[in-house]
PDB file of all heavy atoms in Angstrom:
ATOM      1  N   ARG A1568     -56.047  33.116   6.652  1.00  0.00           N
ATOM      2  CA  ARG A1568     -56.890  32.903   5.480  1.00  0.00           C
ATOM      3  C   ARG A1568     -56.092  32.353   4.230  1.00  0.00           C
ATOM      4  O   ARG A1568     -56.529  32.510   3.125  1.00  0.00           O
ATOM      5  CB  ARG A1568     -57.681  34.140   5.195  1.00  0.00           C
ATOM      6  CG  ARG A1568     -58.785  34.428   6.074  1.00  0.00           C
ATOM      7  CD  ARG A1568     -59.570  35.594   5.635  1.00  0.00           C
ATOM      8  NE  ARG A1568     -60.925  35.612   6.385  1.00  0.00           N
ATOM      9  CZ  ARG A1568     -61.412  36.738   6.747  1.00  0.00           C
ATOM     10  NH1 ARG A1568     -60.906  37.933   6.568  1.00  0.00           N
ATOM     11  NH2 ARG A1568     -62.627  36.637   7.370  1.00  0.00           N
ATOM     12  N   ARG A1569     -54.945  31.755   4.524  1.00  0.00           N
ATOM     13  CA  ARG A1569     -54.109  31.206   3.420  1.00  0.00           C
ATOM     14  C   ARG A1569     -53.114  30.283   4.047  1.00  0.00           C
ATOM     15  O   ARG A1569     -52.980  30.250   5.343  1.00  0.00           O
ATOM     16  CB  ARG A1569     -53.451  32.230   2.548  1.00  0.00           C
ATOM     17  CG  ARG A1569     -52.312  33.066   3.280  1.00  0.00           C
ATOM     18  CD  ARG A1569     -51.802  34.139   2.450  1.00  0.00           C
ATOM     19  NE  ARG A1569     -50.769  34.861   3.152  1.00  0.00           N
ATOM     20  CZ  ARG A1569     -49.400  34.866   2.859  1.00  0.00           C
ATOM     21  NH1 ARG A1569     -49.038  34.253   1.806  1.00  0.00           N
ATOM     22  NH2 ARG A1569     -48.558  35.616   3.495  1.00  0.00           N
ATOM     23  N   GLY A1570     -52.399  29.434   3.261  1.00  0.00           N
ATOM     24  CA  GLY A1570     -51.296  28.619   3.812  1.00  0.00           C
ATOM     25  C   GLY A1570     -49.941  29.332   3.595  1.00  0.00           C
ATOM     26  O   GLY A1570     -49.894  30.321   2.842  1.00  0.00           O
ATOM     27  N   LEU A1571     -48.964  28.874   4.268  1.00  0.00           N
ATOM     28  CA  LEU A1571     -47.548  29.377   4.152  1.00  0.00           C
ATOM     29  C   LEU A1571     -46.646  28.301   4.422  1.00  0.00           C
ATOM     30  O   LEU A1571     -46.597  27.756   5.557  1.00  0.00           O
ATOM     31  CB  LEU A1571     -47.378  30.562   5.142  1.00  0.00           C
ATOM     32  CG  LEU A1571     -46.069  31.262   4.990  1.00  0.00           C
ATOM     33  CD1 LEU A1571     -45.881  31.941   3.719  1.00  0.00           C
ATOM     34  CD2 LEU A1571     -45.866  32.306   6.168  1.00  0.00           C
ATOM     35  N   PRO A1572     -45.802  27.917   3.419  1.00  0.00           N
ATOM     36  CA  PRO A1572     -44.928  26.772   3.710  1.00  0.00           C
ATOM     37  C   PRO A1572     -43.975  27.010   4.811  1.00  0.00           C
ATOM     38  O   PRO A1572     -43.530  28.155   5.101  1.00  0.00           O
ATOM     39  CB  PRO A1572     -44.060  26.757   2.356  1.00  0.00           C
ATOM     40  CG  PRO A1572     -44.937  27.365   1.315  1.00  0.00           C
ATOM     41  CD  PRO A1572     -45.626  28.415   2.122  1.00  0.00           C
ATOM     42  N   ASN A1573     -43.616  25.959   5.583  1.00  0.00           N
ATOM     43  CA  ASN A1573     -42.728  25.964   6.713  1.00  0.00           C
ATOM     44  C   ASN A1573     -43.307  26.714   7.967  1.00  0.00           C
ATOM     45  O   ASN A1573     -42.522  26.994   8.868  1.00  0.00           O
ATOM     46  CB  ASN A1573     -41.364  26.583   6.324  1.00  0.00           C
ATOM     47  CG  ASN A1573     -40.702  25.747   5.259  1.00  0.00           C
ATOM     48  OD1 ASN A1573     -40.783  24.520   5.327  1.00  0.00           O
ATOM     49  ND2 ASN A1573     -40.135  26.370   4.265  1.00  0.00           N
ATOM     50  N   ARG A1574     -44.629  26.903   7.997  1.00  0.00           N
ATOM     51  CA  ARG A1574     -45.160  27.586   9.191  1.00  0.00           C
ATOM     52  C   ARG A1574     -46.518  26.918   9.504  1.00  0.00           C
ATOM     53  O   ARG A1574     -47.443  27.634  10.011  1.00  0.00           O
ATOM     54  CB  ARG A1574     -45.496  29.047   8.801  1.00  0.00           C
ATOM     55  CG  ARG A1574     -44.175  29.936   8.603  1.00  0.00           C
ATOM     56  CD  ARG A1574     -43.412  30.145   9.838  1.00  0.00           C
ATOM     57  NE  ARG A1574     -44.038  31.059  10.719  1.00  0.00           N
ATOM     58  CZ  ARG A1574     -44.230  32.359  10.411  1.00  0.00           C
ATOM     59  NH1 ARG A1574     -43.715  32.917   9.355  1.00  0.00           N
ATOM     60  NH2 ARG A1574     -44.831  33.129  11.255  1.00  0.00           N
ATOM     61  N   SER A1575     -46.522  25.633   9.441  1.00  0.00           N
ATOM     62  CA  SER A1575     -47.856  24.944   9.561  1.00  0.00           C
ATOM     63  C   SER A1575     -48.477  25.235  10.960  1.00  0.00           C
ATOM     64  O   SER A1575     -49.699  25.383  11.072  1.00  0.00           O
ATOM     65  CB  SER A1575     -47.737  23.411   9.355  1.00  0.00           C
ATOM     66  OG  SER A1575     -46.771  22.912  10.129  1.00  0.00           O
ATOM     67  N   ALA A1576     -47.606  25.166  12.047  1.00  0.00           N
ATOM     68  CA  ALA A1576     -48.168  25.339  13.405  1.00  0.00           C
ATOM     69  C   ALA A1576     -48.711  26.709  13.518  1.00  0.00           C
ATOM     70  O   ALA A1576     -49.862  26.841  14.065  1.00  0.00           O
ATOM     71  CB  ALA A1576     -47.141  25.023  14.483  1.00  0.00           C
ATOM     72  N   TYR A1577     -47.975  27.748  13.174  1.00  0.00           N
ATOM     73  CA  TYR A1577     -48.514  29.092  13.251  1.00  0.00           C
ATOM     74  C   TYR A1577     -49.788  29.331  12.503  1.00  0.00           C
ATOM     75  O   TYR A1577     -50.752  29.849  12.944  1.00  0.00           O
ATOM     76  CB  TYR A1577     -47.444  30.070  12.782  1.00  0.00           C
ATOM     77  CG  TYR A1577     -47.703  31.485  12.889  1.00  0.00           C
ATOM     78  CD1 TYR A1577     -47.710  32.148  14.157  1.00  0.00           C
ATOM     79  CD2 TYR A1577     -47.904  32.289  11.802  1.00  0.00           C
ATOM     80  CE1 TYR A1577     -47.892  33.529  14.244  1.00  0.00           C
ATOM     81  CE2 TYR A1577     -48.220  33.652  11.837  1.00  0.00           C
ATOM     82  CZ  TYR A1577     -48.226  34.291  13.118  1.00  0.00           C
ATOM     83  OH  TYR A1577     -48.486  35.564  13.211  1.00  0.00           O
ATOM     84  N   VAL A1578     -49.751  28.862  11.205  1.00  0.00           N
ATOM     85  CA  VAL A1578     -50.883  29.051  10.334  1.00  0.00           C
ATOM     86  C   VAL A1578     -52.101  28.358  10.884  1.00  0.00           C
ATOM     87  O   VAL A1578     -53.175  28.952  10.999  1.00  0.00           O
ATOM     88  CB  VAL A1578     -50.566  28.472   8.903  1.00  0.00           C
ATOM     89  CG1 VAL A1578     -51.800  28.422   8.024  1.00  0.00           C
ATOM     90  CG2 VAL A1578     -49.398  29.296   8.241  1.00  0.00           C
ATOM     91  N   ALA A1579     -51.962  27.089  11.343  1.00  0.00           N
ATOM     92  CA  ALA A1579     -53.087  26.364  11.887  1.00  0.00           C
ATOM     93  C   ALA A1579     -53.586  27.057  13.133  1.00  0.00           C
ATOM     94  O   ALA A1579     -54.828  27.174  13.404  1.00  0.00           O
ATOM     95  CB  ALA A1579     -52.628  24.887  12.200  1.00  0.00           C
ATOM     96  N   SER A1580     -52.631  27.617  13.962  1.00  0.00           N
ATOM     97  CA  SER A1580     -53.072  28.284  15.226  1.00  0.00           C
ATOM     98  C   SER A1580     -53.903  29.476  14.838  1.00  0.00           C
ATOM     99  O   SER A1580     -54.945  29.843  15.486  1.00  0.00           O
ATOM    100  CB  SER A1580     -51.945  28.641  16.107  1.00  0.00           C
ATOM    101  OG  SER A1580     -51.201  29.661  15.573  1.00  0.00           O
ATOM    102  N   LYS A1581     -53.547  30.212  13.790  1.00  0.00           N
ATOM    103  CA  LYS A1581     -54.229  31.439  13.467  1.00  0.00           C
ATOM    104  C   LYS A1581     -55.547  31.212  12.770  1.00  0.00           C
ATOM    105  O   LYS A1581     -56.511  31.938  12.993  1.00  0.00           O
ATOM    106  CB  LYS A1581     -53.355  32.330  12.690  1.00  0.00           C
ATOM    107  CG  LYS A1581     -52.099  32.847  13.399  1.00  0.00           C
ATOM    108  CD  LYS A1581     -52.459  33.713  14.566  1.00  0.00           C
ATOM    109  CE  LYS A1581     -51.311  34.423  15.216  1.00  0.00           C
ATOM    110  NZ  LYS A1581     -51.701  35.406  16.270  1.00  0.00           N
ATOM    111  N   TRP A1582     -55.637  30.128  11.889  1.00  0.00           N
ATOM    112  CA  TRP A1582     -56.993  29.781  11.379  1.00  0.00           C
ATOM    113  C   TRP A1582     -57.907  29.407  12.616  1.00  0.00           C
ATOM    114  O   TRP A1582     -59.076  29.727  12.584  1.00  0.00           O
ATOM    115  CB  TRP A1582     -56.828  28.609  10.478  1.00  0.00           C
ATOM    116  CG  TRP A1582     -56.461  28.826   9.033  1.00  0.00           C
ATOM    117  CD1 TRP A1582     -55.248  29.057   8.601  1.00  0.00           C
ATOM    118  CD2 TRP A1582     -57.411  28.883   7.920  1.00  0.00           C
ATOM    119  NE1 TRP A1582     -55.210  29.304   7.152  1.00  0.00           N
ATOM    120  CE2 TRP A1582     -56.515  29.222   6.773  1.00  0.00           C
ATOM    121  CE3 TRP A1582     -58.719  28.737   7.740  1.00  0.00           C
ATOM    122  CZ2 TRP A1582     -57.055  29.306   5.510  1.00  0.00           C
ATOM    123  CZ3 TRP A1582     -59.260  28.913   6.459  1.00  0.00           C
ATOM    124  CH2 TRP A1582     -58.487  29.191   5.365  1.00  0.00           C
ATOM    125  N   ALA A1583     -57.313  28.717  13.505  1.00  0.00           N
ATOM    126  CA  ALA A1583     -58.166  28.322  14.701  1.00  0.00           C
ATOM    127  C   ALA A1583     -58.682  29.442  15.500  1.00  0.00           C
ATOM    128  O   ALA A1583     -59.752  29.478  15.993  1.00  0.00           O
ATOM    129  CB  ALA A1583     -57.378  27.289  15.606  1.00  0.00           C
ATOM    130  N   VAL A1584     -57.831  30.534  15.550  1.00  0.00           N
ATOM    131  CA  VAL A1584     -58.239  31.737  16.306  1.00  0.00           C
ATOM    132  C   VAL A1584     -59.468  32.332  15.686  1.00  0.00           C
ATOM    133  O   VAL A1584     -60.313  32.908  16.343  1.00  0.00           O
ATOM    134  CB  VAL A1584     -56.968  32.725  16.404  1.00  0.00           C
ATOM    135  CG1 VAL A1584     -57.644  34.177  16.745  1.00  0.00           C
ATOM    136  CG2 VAL A1584     -56.049  32.265  17.392  1.00  0.00           C
ATOM    137  N   LEU A1585     -59.533  32.190  14.304  1.00  0.00           N
ATOM    138  CA  LEU A1585     -60.805  32.731  13.717  1.00  0.00           C
ATOM    139  C   LEU A1585     -62.017  31.895  14.042  1.00  0.00           C
ATOM    140  O   LEU A1585     -63.061  32.495  14.245  1.00  0.00           O
ATOM    141  CB  LEU A1585     -60.528  32.800  12.165  1.00  0.00           C
ATOM    142  CG  LEU A1585     -59.702  33.784  11.526  1.00  0.00           C
ATOM    143  CD1 LEU A1585     -60.018  34.007  10.015  1.00  0.00           C
ATOM    144  CD2 LEU A1585     -59.825  35.127  12.277  1.00  0.00           C
ATOM    145  N   GLY A1586     -61.770  30.581  14.019  1.00  0.00           N
ATOM    146  CA  GLY A1586     -63.006  29.752  14.405  1.00  0.00           C
ATOM    147  C   GLY A1586     -63.404  30.059  15.838  1.00  0.00           C
ATOM    148  O   GLY A1586     -64.644  30.113  16.147  1.00  0.00           O
ATOM    149  N   PHE A1587     -62.379  30.293  16.689  1.00  0.00           N
ATOM    150  CA  PHE A1587     -62.730  30.507  18.095  1.00  0.00           C
ATOM    151  C   PHE A1587     -63.373  31.883  18.229  1.00  0.00           C
ATOM    152  O   PHE A1587     -64.310  32.061  19.018  1.00  0.00           O
ATOM    153  CB  PHE A1587     -61.312  30.539  18.897  1.00  0.00           C
ATOM    154  CG  PHE A1587     -61.536  30.838  20.309  1.00  0.00           C
ATOM    155  CD1 PHE A1587     -62.007  29.912  21.196  1.00  0.00           C
ATOM    156  CD2 PHE A1587     -61.271  32.085  20.845  1.00  0.00           C
ATOM    157  CE1 PHE A1587     -62.264  30.141  22.551  1.00  0.00           C
ATOM    158  CE2 PHE A1587     -61.497  32.383  22.205  1.00  0.00           C
ATOM    159  CZ  PHE A1587     -62.003  31.460  23.081  1.00  0.00           C
ATOM    160  N   THR A1588     -62.944  32.847  17.452  1.00  0.00           N
ATOM    161  CA  THR A1588     -63.577  34.140  17.437  1.00  0.00           C
ATOM    162  C   THR A1588     -65.047  34.069  17.171  1.00  0.00           C
ATOM    163  O   THR A1588     -65.924  34.765  17.835  1.00  0.00           O
ATOM    164  CB  THR A1588     -62.876  35.141  16.404  1.00  0.00           C
ATOM    165  OG1 THR A1588     -61.478  35.248  16.820  1.00  0.00           O
ATOM    166  CG2 THR A1588     -63.472  36.528  16.373  1.00  0.00           C
ATOM    167  N   GLN A1589     -65.417  33.369  16.098  1.00  0.00           N
ATOM    168  CA  GLN A1589     -66.816  33.244  15.698  1.00  0.00           C
ATOM    169  C   GLN A1589     -67.611  32.548  16.758  1.00  0.00           C
ATOM    170  O   GLN A1589     -68.715  32.946  17.111  1.00  0.00           O
ATOM    171  CB  GLN A1589     -66.921  32.490  14.374  1.00  0.00           C
ATOM    172  CG  GLN A1589     -66.297  33.331  13.190  1.00  0.00           C
ATOM    173  CD  GLN A1589     -66.581  32.707  11.873  1.00  0.00           C
ATOM    174  OE1 GLN A1589     -67.277  31.709  11.680  1.00  0.00           O
ATOM    175  NE2 GLN A1589     -66.002  33.247  10.890  1.00  0.00           N
ATOM    176  N   THR A1590     -67.021  31.524  17.394  1.00  0.00           N
ATOM    177  CA  THR A1590     -67.780  30.749  18.407  1.00  0.00           C
ATOM    178  C   THR A1590     -67.965  31.584  19.690  1.00  0.00           C
ATOM    179  O   THR A1590     -68.995  31.623  20.290  1.00  0.00           O
ATOM    180  CB  THR A1590     -66.989  29.428  18.700  1.00  0.00           C
ATOM    181  OG1 THR A1590     -66.870  28.728  17.509  1.00  0.00           O
ATOM    182  CG2 THR A1590     -67.757  28.558  19.692  1.00  0.00           C
ATOM    183  N   ALA A1591     -66.799  32.290  20.074  1.00  0.00           N
ATOM    184  CA  ALA A1591     -66.971  33.105  21.197  1.00  0.00           C
ATOM    185  C   ALA A1591     -68.001  34.227  21.017  1.00  0.00           C
ATOM    186  O   ALA A1591     -68.735  34.599  21.910  1.00  0.00           O
ATOM    187  CB  ALA A1591     -65.528  33.785  21.584  1.00  0.00           C
ATOM    188  N   ALA A1592     -68.031  34.833  19.773  1.00  0.00           N
ATOM    189  CA  ALA A1592     -69.037  35.887  19.476  1.00  0.00           C
ATOM    190  C   ALA A1592     -70.425  35.290  19.735  1.00  0.00           C
ATOM    191  O   ALA A1592     -71.211  36.023  20.240  1.00  0.00           O
ATOM    192  CB  ALA A1592     -68.796  36.307  18.050  1.00  0.00           C
ATOM    193  N   LEU A1593     -70.718  34.078  19.297  1.00  0.00           N
ATOM    194  CA  LEU A1593     -72.031  33.519  19.454  1.00  0.00           C
ATOM    195  C   LEU A1593     -72.329  33.261  20.940  1.00  0.00           C
ATOM    196  O   LEU A1593     -73.398  33.490  21.370  1.00  0.00           O
ATOM    197  CB  LEU A1593     -72.157  32.296  18.680  1.00  0.00           C
ATOM    198  CG  LEU A1593     -72.058  32.540  17.117  1.00  0.00           C
ATOM    199  CD1 LEU A1593     -72.060  31.124  16.373  1.00  0.00           C
ATOM    200  CD2 LEU A1593     -73.280  33.162  16.639  1.00  0.00           C
ATOM    201  N   GLU A1594     -71.354  32.707  21.654  1.00  0.00           N
ATOM    202  CA  GLU A1594     -71.535  32.347  23.051  1.00  0.00           C
ATOM    203  C   GLU A1594     -71.767  33.569  23.972  1.00  0.00           C
ATOM    204  O   GLU A1594     -72.509  33.452  24.909  1.00  0.00           O
ATOM    205  CB  GLU A1594     -70.402  31.498  23.509  1.00  0.00           C
ATOM    206  CG  GLU A1594     -70.424  30.062  23.061  1.00  0.00           C
ATOM    207  CD  GLU A1594     -69.425  29.105  23.799  1.00  0.00           C
ATOM    208  OE1 GLU A1594     -69.028  29.508  24.926  1.00  0.00           O
ATOM    209  OE2 GLU A1594     -69.107  28.101  23.258  1.00  0.00           O
ATOM    210  N   TYR A1595     -71.148  34.723  23.597  1.00  0.00           N
ATOM    211  CA  TYR A1595     -71.187  35.833  24.533  1.00  0.00           C
ATOM    212  C   TYR A1595     -72.080  36.955  24.067  1.00  0.00           C
ATOM    213  O   TYR A1595     -72.203  37.979  24.752  1.00  0.00           O
ATOM    214  CB  TYR A1595     -69.766  36.329  24.724  1.00  0.00           C
ATOM    215  CG  TYR A1595     -68.844  35.371  25.405  1.00  0.00           C
ATOM    216  CD1 TYR A1595     -67.540  35.099  24.924  1.00  0.00           C
ATOM    217  CD2 TYR A1595     -69.202  34.823  26.647  1.00  0.00           C
ATOM    218  CE1 TYR A1595     -66.708  34.277  25.606  1.00  0.00           C
ATOM    219  CE2 TYR A1595     -68.362  33.934  27.273  1.00  0.00           C
ATOM    220  CZ  TYR A1595     -67.151  33.664  26.698  1.00  0.00           C
ATOM    221  OH  TYR A1595     -66.261  32.782  27.424  1.00  0.00           O
ATOM    222  N   VAL A1596     -72.737  36.790  22.843  1.00  0.00           N
ATOM    223  CA  VAL A1596     -73.558  37.887  22.432  1.00  0.00           C
ATOM    224  C   VAL A1596     -74.691  38.371  23.429  1.00  0.00           C
ATOM    225  O   VAL A1596     -74.850  39.541  23.589  1.00  0.00           O
ATOM    226  CB  VAL A1596     -74.075  37.576  20.953  1.00  0.00           C
ATOM    227  CG1 VAL A1596     -75.153  36.563  20.979  1.00  0.00           C
ATOM    228  CG2 VAL A1596     -74.603  38.839  20.342  1.00  0.00           C
ATOM    229  N   SER A1597     -75.258  37.380  24.036  1.00  0.00           N
ATOM    230  CA  SER A1597     -76.402  37.726  24.884  1.00  0.00           C
ATOM    231  C   SER A1597     -75.871  38.363  26.227  1.00  0.00           C
ATOM    232  O   SER A1597     -76.600  38.976  26.966  1.00  0.00           O
ATOM    233  CB  SER A1597     -77.149  36.390  25.272  1.00  0.00           C
ATOM    234  OG  SER A1597     -76.347  35.553  25.891  1.00  0.00           O
ATOM    235  N   ALA A1598     -74.542  38.258  26.446  1.00  0.00           N
ATOM    236  CA  ALA A1598     -73.974  38.890  27.675  1.00  0.00           C
ATOM    237  C   ALA A1598     -73.460  40.329  27.362  1.00  0.00           C
ATOM    238  O   ALA A1598     -72.843  41.014  28.170  1.00  0.00           O
ATOM    239  CB  ALA A1598     -72.796  38.028  28.263  1.00  0.00           C
TER     240      ALA A1598
END
Side-chain angles (χ1 to χ4, degrees):
R1568 284 187 165 143
R1569 65 186 180 115
L1571 184 65
N1573 300 318
R1574 292 291 289 289
S1575 58
Y1577 182 73
V1578 171
S1580 72
K1581 293 296 187 176
W1582 276 81
V1584 164
L1585 286 201
F1587 180 77
T1588 299
Q1589 293 187 7
T1590 303
L1593 293 170
E1594 288 194 17
Y1595 293 129
V1596 68
S1597 60

